[in-house]
Amino acid sequence: MSDNASGVSGADSSNGANDARGAAAEAAAEHGLDATASASNEAVSAAETGKAAAAAGDTCTAEASTNRAEAAAAEAVESAAALADIAANNPTPATEAMAGFAASYAQAATEAAASARSALDGMQASQGLGACVSEAPTSPTQGLALSTINQLGGIWS
């Protein structure tokens, strides 16, 4: 049975509006799927770099890569959630399929980021490191040097 069984002229206009709304939803879902896939790929790539760095004992690279993986995974989850909303509000076979793919991408990103975090945490625990220290000054600043000299002067006097 069709909704247009009333025989009223122009009744097909509602189908046109539904078709346009469905097409717009599918276009938005496609954009959301692309964004989710991109963020997921970034998360997985950064996680692999982070795990390799952790295995090599490179704390700074492992930490930076893990943080990038976690941020990209969060972006993938957010994008997948938005796509799920699109599919819920405009359920078509295409929007629902894309929402399913996006959920898979977000799950892969989340798992990759978690594995990178686990590798980083394990490396830090085994090496007794708390965080990357590569950004610490290699030579004292003038204020630090004067402060240190004053402290030492107080000890020696």
Side-chain angles (χ1 to χ4, degrees):
M1 278 287 205
S2 167
D3 287 338
N4 298 328
S6 67
V8 175
S9 116
D12 285 338
S13 67
S14 66
N15 278 348
N18 287 339
D19 289 345
R21 188 171 44 242
E26 288 173 10
E30 187 174 340
H31 176 72
L33 182 59
D34 288 345
T36 305
S38 177
S40 179
N41 288 338
E42 183 180 341
V44 170
S45 176
E48 290 302 319
T49 300
K51 290 189 294 186
D58 182 353
T59 304
C60 295
T61 300
E63 188 175 307
S65 295
T66 298
N67 289 339
R68 270 195 319 275
E70 289 172 338
E75 185 179 325
V77 168
E78 184 178 314
S79 183
L83 205 157
D85 288 344
I86 291 170
N89 292 326
N90 299 286
T92 69
T95 59
E96 291 172 346
M98 285 186 264
F101 286 127
S104 296
Y105 287 137
Q107 181 67 32
T110 301
E111 289 172 0
S115 69
R117 175 58 63 188
S118 177
L120 174 63
D121 290 347
M123 182 205 60
Q124 288 176 329
S126 70
Q127 293 182 355
L129 299 174
C132 176
V133 293
S134 70
E135 295 180 17
T138 56
S139 60
T141 62
Q142 182 179 9
L144 179 61
L146 291 176
S147 172
T148 304
I149 291 169
N150 287 338
Q151 288 176 352
L152 291 174
I155 293 172
W156 289 329
S157 52

Coordinates of all heavy atoms in Angstrom, one line a residue, residues 24-71:
A24 N 19.8 14.0 1.2 CA 20.6 14.9 2.0 C 21.2 14.1 3.2 O 22.3 14.3 3.6 CB 19.7 16.1 2.5
A25 N 20.4 13.3 3.8 CA 20.9 12.5 5.0 C 22.0 11.5 4.5 O 23.0 11.4 5.2 CB 19.7 11.7 5.6
E26 N 21.8 11.0 3.3 CA 22.8 10.0 2.8 C 24.1 10.8 2.5 O 25.2 10.3 2.7 CB 22.3 9.3 1.6 CG 21.3 8.2 2.1 CD 20.6 7.5 0.9 OE1 21.0 7.7 -0.3 OE2 19.6 6.8 1.2
A27 N 24.0 12.0 2.0 CA 25.2 12.8 1.7 C 25.9 13.2 3.0 O 27.1 13.1 3.1 CB 24.8 14.1 0.9
A28 N 25.1 13.6 4.0 CA 25.7 13.9 5.3 C 26.3 12.7 5.9 O 27.4 12.7 6.5 CB 24.7 14.5 6.2
A29 N 25.7 11.5 5.8 CA 26.2 10.3 6.3 C 27.5 9.9 5.6 O 28.5 9.5 6.3 CB 25.2 9.2 6.2
E30 N 27.6 10.1 4.3 CA 28.8 9.8 3.6 C 29.9 10.7 4.0 O 31.1 10.2 4.2 CB 28.5 10.0 2.1 CG 29.7 9.5 1.2 CD 29.4 9.6 -0.3 OE1 28.2 9.6 -0.7 OE2 30.3 9.7 -1.0
H31 N 29.6 11.9 4.2 CA 30.7 12.9 4.8 C 31.1 12.4 6.2 O 32.3 12.4 6.5 CB 30.1 14.3 4.8 CG 31.1 15.3 5.4 ND1 32.2 15.7 4.8 CD2 31.1 15.9 6.6 CE1 32.9 16.5 5.6 NE2 32.2 16.6 6.7
G32 N 30.2 12.0 7.0 CA 30.5 11.5 8.3 C 31.3 10.3 8.3 O 32.2 10.1 9.1
L33 N 31.0 9.4 7.4 CA 31.7 8.1 7.2 C 33.2 8.4 6.8 O 34.1 7.8 7.4 CB 31.1 7.2 6.2 CG 31.7 5.8 6.1 CD1 31.8 5.1 7.4 CD2 31.0 5.0 5.0
D34 N 33.3 9.4 5.9 CA 34.7 9.7 5.5 C 35.5 10.3 6.6 O 36.7 10.0 6.8 CB 34.7 10.8 4.3 CG 34.2 10.2 3.0 OD1 34.2 8.9 2.9 OD2 33.8 11.0 2.1
A35 N 34.8 11.2 7.4 CA 35.5 11.8 8.6 C 35.9 10.7 9.6 O 37.0 10.8 10.2 CB 34.6 12.9 9.2
T36 N 35.0 9.8 9.8 CA 35.2 8.7 10.8 C 36.4 7.8 10.4 O 37.3 7.5 11.1 CB 34.0 7.9 11.0 OG1 32.9 8.7 11.4 CG2 34.2 6.8 12.1
A37 N 36.4 7.5 9.1 CA 37.4 6.6 8.5 C 38.8 7.3 8.6 O 39.8 6.7 9.0 CB 37.1 6.2 7.1
S38 N 38.8 8.6 8.3 CA 40.0 9.3 8.3 C 40.6 9.4 9.7 O 41.8 9.2 10.0 CB 39.8 10.8 7.8 OG 41.0 11.5 7.8
A39 N 39.7 9.7 10.7 CA 40.2 9.8 12.1 C 40.6 8.4 12.6 O 41.6 8.3 13.3 CB 39.0 10.4 13.0
S40 N 39.9 7.4 12.2 CA 40.3 6.1 12.6 C 41.6 5.7 12.0 O 42.5 5.1 12.7 CB 39.2 5.0 12.1 OG 39.6 3.7 12.5
N41 N 41.9 6.0 10.8 CA 43.2 5.7 10.1 C 44.3 6.4 10.9 O 45.4 5.9 11.1 CB 43.2 6.0 8.7 CG 42.3 5.0 7.9 OD1 42.1 3.9 8.3 ND2 41.9 5.5 6.7
E42 N 44.0 7.7 11.2 CA 45.0 8.5 11.9 C 45.3 7.9 13.3 O 46.5 7.8 13.7 CB 44.5 9.9 12.1 CG 45.5 10.8 12.7 CD 45.1 12.3 12.9 OE1 44.1 12.7 12.2 OE2 45.6 13.0 13.7
A43 N 44.3 7.4 14.0 CA 44.4 6.8 15.3 C 45.2 5.5 15.2 O 46.2 5.3 16.0 CB 43.1 6.5 15.9
V44 N 44.9 4.7 14.3 CA 45.6 3.4 14.1 C 47.1 3.7 13.8 O 48.0 3.0 14.3 CB 44.9 2.5 13.1 CG1 45.8 1.3 12.7 CG2 43.5 2.1 13.6
S45 N 47.3 4.6 12.8 CA 48.7 4.9 12.4 C 49.5 5.5 13.6 O 50.7 5.0 13.9 CB 48.7 5.9 11.3 OG 50.0 6.3 10.9
A46 N 48.9 6.4 14.3 CA 49.6 7.0 15.5 C 49.9 6.0 16.6 O 50.9 5.9 17.2 CB 48.8 8.2 16.0
A47 N 48.9 5.1 16.7 CA 49.0 4.0 17.8 C 50.2 3.1 17.4 O 51.0 2.7 18.3 CB 47.7 3.2 17.9
E48 N 50.3 2.7 16.1 CA 51.4 1.9 15.7 C 52.7 2.5 15.9 O 53.7 1.9 16.4 CB 51.2 1.5 14.2 CG 50.1 0.5 13.9 CD 50.1 -0.8 14.7 OE1 51.2 -1.3 14.8 OE2 49.1 -1.2 15.2
T49 N 52.8 3.8 15.6 CA 54.0 4.6 15.9 C 54.3 4.6 17.4 O 55.5 4.4 17.8 CB 53.9 6.0 15.3 OG1 53.7 5.9 13.9 CG2 55.2 6.8 15.6
G50 N 53.3 4.8 18.2 CA 53.5 4.9 19.6 C 53.9 3.5 20.2 O 54.8 3.5 21.1
K51 N 53.3 2.4 19.7 CA 53.7 1.1 20.2 C 55.2 0.8 19.8 O 55.9 0.3 20.6 CB 52.8 0.0 19.7 CG 51.4 0.1 20.3 CD 50.5 -1.0 20.0 CE 50.2 -1.1 18.6 NZ 49.2 -2.1 18.3
A52 N 55.6 1.1 18.6 CA 56.9 0.9 18.1 C 57.9 1.7 19.0 O 59.0 1.3 19.4 CB 57.1 1.2 16.7
A53 N 57.6 3.0 19.2 CA 58.4 3.8 20.0 C 58.5 3.3 21.5 O 59.6 3.4 22.1 CB 57.9 5.3 20.0
A54 N 57.4 2.8 22.0 CA 57.5 2.3 23.4 C 58.3 1.1 23.4 O 59.1 0.9 24.4 CB 56.0 1.9 23.8
A55 N 58.3 0.2 22.4 CA 59.1 -1.0 22.3 C 60.6 -0.6 22.2 O 61.4 -1.3 22.8 CB 58.7 -1.8 21.1
A56 N 60.9 0.5 21.6 CA 62.2 1.0 21.4 C 62.7 1.8 22.6 O 63.9 2.2 22.7 CB 62.4 1.8 20.2
G57 N 61.8 2.1 23.6 CA 62.2 2.9 24.8 C 62.2 4.4 24.5 O 62.7 5.2 25.3
D58 N 61.6 4.8 23.4 CA 61.5 6.3 23.1 C 60.3 6.9 23.7 O 59.2 7.0 23.1 CB 61.5 6.4 21.5 CG 61.5 7.9 21.1 OD1 61.4 8.8 21.9 OD2 61.6 8.1 19.9
T59 N 60.5 7.3 24.9 CA 59.3 7.8 25.7 C 58.6 9.0 25.0 O 57.4 9.0 25.0 CB 59.8 8.3 27.1 OG1 60.5 7.2 27.7 CG2 58.6 8.7 28.0
C60 N 59.4 9.9 24.5 CA 58.8 11.2 24.0 C 57.9 10.9 22.7 O 56.8 11.3 22.6 CB 59.8 12.2 23.7 SG 60.6 12.8 25.2
T61 N 58.4 10.1 21.8 CA 57.7 9.7 20.6 C 56.5 8.8 21.0 O 55.4 9.0 20.5 CB 58.6 9.0 19.6 OG1 59.7 9.8 19.3 CG2 57.8 8.6 18.4
A62 N 56.7 7.9 21.9 CA 55.6 7.1 22.4 C 54.4 7.9 23.0 O 53.3 7.7 22.7 CB 56.1 6.0 23.4
E63 N 54.8 8.8 23.8 CA 53.8 9.7 24.5 C 53.1 10.6 23.5 O 51.9 10.7 23.5 CB 54.5 10.5 25.6 CG 53.6 11.3 26.4 CD 54.3 12.0 27.6 OE1 55.1 11.4 28.3 OE2 54.1 13.2 27.7
A64 N 53.8 11.2 22.6 CA 53.2 12.1 21.6 C 52.3 11.3 20.7 O 51.2 11.7 20.3 CB 54.3 12.8 20.8
S65 N 52.8 10.1 20.2 CA 52.0 9.3 19.3 C 50.7 8.8 20.0 O 49.6 8.7 19.4 CB 52.8 8.2 18.8 OG 53.9 8.7 18.0
T66 N 50.9 8.4 21.2 CA 49.7 7.9 22.0 C 48.7 9.0 22.2 O 47.5 8.8 22.0 CB 50.1 7.3 23.4 OG1 51.0 6.2 23.1 CG2 49.0 6.9 24.2
N67 N 49.1 10.2 22.5 CA 48.2 11.3 22.6 C 47.5 11.6 21.3 O 46.3 11.9 21.3 CB 48.9 12.6 23.2 CG 49.4 12.4 24.6 OD1 48.8 11.6 25.3 ND2 50.3 13.2 25.0
R68 N 48.2 11.5 20.2 CA 47.6 11.8 18.9 C 46.6 10.7 18.6 O 45.5 10.9 18.1 CB 48.7 11.8 17.8 CG 49.2 13.1 17.5 CD 50.0 13.2 16.2 NE 50.8 12.1 15.9 CZ 52.1 11.9 16.3 NH1 52.6 12.8 17.0 NH2 52.8 10.9 15.9
A69 N 46.9 9.4 18.9 CA 46.0 8.3 18.7 C 44.7 8.5 19.5 O 43.6 8.2 19.0 CB 46.7 7.0 19.1
E70 N 44.9 8.9 20.8 CA 43.7 9.1 21.6 C 42.8 10.2 21.1 O 41.6 10.1 21.1 CB 44.1 9.3 23.1 CG 44.7 8.0 23.7 CD 45.3 8.3 25.1 OE1 45.7 9.4 25.4 OE2 45.4 7.3 25.8
A71 N 43.4 11.3 20.7 CA 42.7 12.4 20.1 C 41.9 12.0 18.9 O 40.8 12.4 18.7 CB 43.6 13.6 19.9

